Amino acid sequence: MPSTASRPTSAPPRNAPSARVPNTRRPPREATPAARFRAHLRRAAPALLAYAAVRLTVLLVVTVWAHHQHHGLWPTLAAQWDANWYLGIADHGYAHRLGTEHDANNLAFFPLYPVLIKAFAVLTPGTRATTGLVIAVVSSFAAAWGIYSVGSHLHGRRVGVLLTVLWAALPVGLVQWMGYTESLFTACAAWSLYAVLTGRWLWAASLASLAGLTRPTGIAVAAAVTATALVSLRHGFSARALAAAALAPAGWLGYVGWVGLRVGRWDGYFAVQRLWNNEWDGGLETLQRMQQVLAFDSTPQLFLVMVTVTLLASMALYVLSAWDRQPLPLLVFTGVLLLIVLGSGGVYFPRARFLLPGFPLLLPLALHISRASARFRALSLTAALVVAAYCGAYMVLVWPSAP
């Protein structure tokens, strides 16, 4: 028998680690930014695939229609109307004076999109029109991802996907894949609003500032961030929230101020807008045009009917959004957007396009469809897709003016 002196006087606990064996297990590491990005992308993949399916279906219908009309589709998507103005800014810069000619001063167009065209044109093959269209398409997917993120954060993944599909299937949704600023602006707005909802104040303000460099309605994004940040201060001081409130309108104010300096008058930007017949009139001209289309014109043009229905539906959806008590940043954003679009004079026909970035207005529809039967969801989304395809083709192949 072995000697008792070789035995330990007391046995260590069964689960106690040996003093001579180091603990090799590492504490769990936080996910890297790349890992978080991939995880977020995997969650958003169904929404992005659905978005791509809607847009490709609409594009196929437009392509077939254009082929039967022997119509060139590429110039229409990449280099006509507003797209031509942005390409001109990318090529030659901005005007140096106000002038007196109507509908001719390119200072009315905000700078972020043409700056991106000029910057990326040296890296991409083809013309600057191709570069602009690529930027718009890529931005549209960024926008769809942001829209999904807002909807999913508030109401779950199903609502996030439905919200994205409804935005893709808007009657003027073809503009999302044209050389226009709507996709870039919506991407900035959606991610800015998502950042506000998740408490990322400086991200929200930075994206709001970029939105303010993209479109005149960028002030709506800035208002949403600034108002929410200031309200949050009631619950305790936050240097980040205060900084966000100040930074959010910087892009919009910076461009408006720069135009004033360029033309030598403090109201230079608004003088430019007057040359484009855009002035605030409290909605008087909007009401007159609605009456004309719906009551006085015996044969109204189909596109103008669609624009009018879109405006009326947007107002009704805003009431429903307020009734549903949407978060403050969403209500401020869509409220200011509606005030600008409905309360300004000027051309009437682009106003459905001007409201395209107002995706939170679609949340009541997404919620209703998510709670309905599978059959109702299928019928609703199919109807929306058919309308989007027909209206998109009509908008660029039949309607004789800008979208």
Side-chain angles (χ1 to χ4, degrees):
M1 293 181 65
S3 169
T4 55
S6 64
R7 298 177 182 175
T9 57
S10 62
R14 178 176 298 178
N15 295 326
S18 169
R20 292 173 294 178
V21 180
N23 184 2
T24 58
R25 290 185 296 176
R26 298 176 180 175
R29 294 181 299 178
E30 291 188 5
T32 64
R36 291 197 297 269
F37 176 85
R38 289 193 295 269
H40 198 172
L41 180 58
R42 283 194 296 270
R43 289 194 295 271
L48 296 178
L49 290 173
Y51 174 79
V54 172
R55 298 286 3 119
L56 288 171
T57 300
V58 172
L59 185 62
L60 177 62
V61 171
V62 176
T63 302
V64 172
W65 192 332
H67 176 74
H68 283 294
Q69 288 193 349
H70 306 287
H71 194 290
L73 185 59
W74 179 258
T76 301
L77 297 179
Q80 282 193 2
W81 306 114
D82 286 14
N84 190 47
W85 282 99
Y86 288 116
L87 292 173
I89 294 169
D91 285 333
H92 308 295
Y94 281 105
H96 290 274
R97 57 185 61 86
L98 180 61
T100 58
E101 187 177 356
H102 283 265
D103 302 339
N105 195 313
N106 64 6
L107 288 166
F109 297 88
F110 277 54
L112 183 59
Y113 183 58
V115 165
L116 291 177
I117 293 174
K118 188 172 183 178
F120 285 103
V122 298
L123 304 175
T124 55
T127 64
R128 286 187 172 179
T130 302
T131 302
L133 191 56
V134 169
I135 291 172
V137 173
V138 172
S139 297
S140 75
F141 279 95
W145 192 353
I147 290 168
Y148 163 80
S149 298
V150 171
S152 177
H153 175 77
L154 293 176
H155 301 290
R157 296 184 69 185
R158 175 182 287 182
V159 172
V161 173
L162 288 171
L163 183 63
T164 307
V165 171
L166 289 173
W167 183 72
L170 286 172
V172 293
L174 183 64
V175 173
Q176 297 164 16
W177 283 12
M178 294 176 66
Y180 279 64
T181 57
E182 271 69 23
S183 290
L184 179 61
F185 177 74
T186 307
C188 293
W191 283 109
S192 179
L193 294 172
Y194 178 74
V196 172
L197 294 172
T198 55
R200 297 173 171 89
W201 288 115
L202 296 183
W203 274 109
S206 299
L207 289 164
S209 191
L210 290 176
L213 290 170
T214 307
R215 290 197 59 78
T217 46
I219 194 63
V221 188
V225 175
T226 298
T228 309
L230 293 177
V231 168
S232 75
L233 295 176
R234 296 187 306 174
H235 306 292
F237 178 77
S238 167
R240 288 176 178 263
L242 191 60
L247 175 62
W252 190 89
L253 291 174
Y255 180 68
V256 169
W258 179 81
V259 172
L261 291 173
R262 193 169 180 88
V263 302
R265 49 188 292 180
W266 70 270
D267 65 339
Y269 174 75
F270 302 100
V272 170
Q273 287 293 345
R274 285 193 289 271
L275 289 175
W276 285 84
N277 298 310
N278 288 328
E279 291 187 82
W280 175 264
D281 64 1
L284 179 62
E285 184 169 345
T286 302
L287 288 174
Q288 290 174 345
R289 294 303 302 270
M290 284 182 173
Q291 288 179 335
Q292 181 180 354
V293 170
L294 297 179
F296 302 137
D297 193 342
S298 59
T299 56
Q301 293 176 293
L302 177 62
F303 188 77
L304 296 182
V305 172
M306 185 274 292
V307 171
T308 304
V309 171
T310 299
L311 298 182
L312 293 172
S314 296
M315 289 187 283
L317 288 171
Y318 186 78
V319 173
L320 290 176
S321 299
W323 183 266
D324 287 343
R325 296 184 178 179
Q326 277 187 10
L328 178 65
L330 304 189
L331 289 175
V332 172
F333 169 61
T334 51
V336 175
L337 183 66
L338 282 168
L339 281 176
I340 295 171
V341 173
L342 299 176
S344 300
V347 290
Y348 182 74
F349 52 81
R351 300 195 189 197
R353 170 169 63 86
F354 294 164
L355 287 176
L356 191 147
F359 69 91
L361 293 170
L362 300 171
L363 261 175
L365 290 179
L367 282 167
H368 179 71
I369 295 173
S370 72
R371 297 163 182 162
S373 65
R375 181 181 180 184
F376 181 83
R377 282 198 300 273
L379 290 174
S380 300
L381 297 179
T382 301
L385 178 58
V386 170
V387 171
Y390 181 82
C391 288
Y394 185 93
M395 178 177 69
V396 296
L397 300 174
V398 179
W399 172 247
S401 191

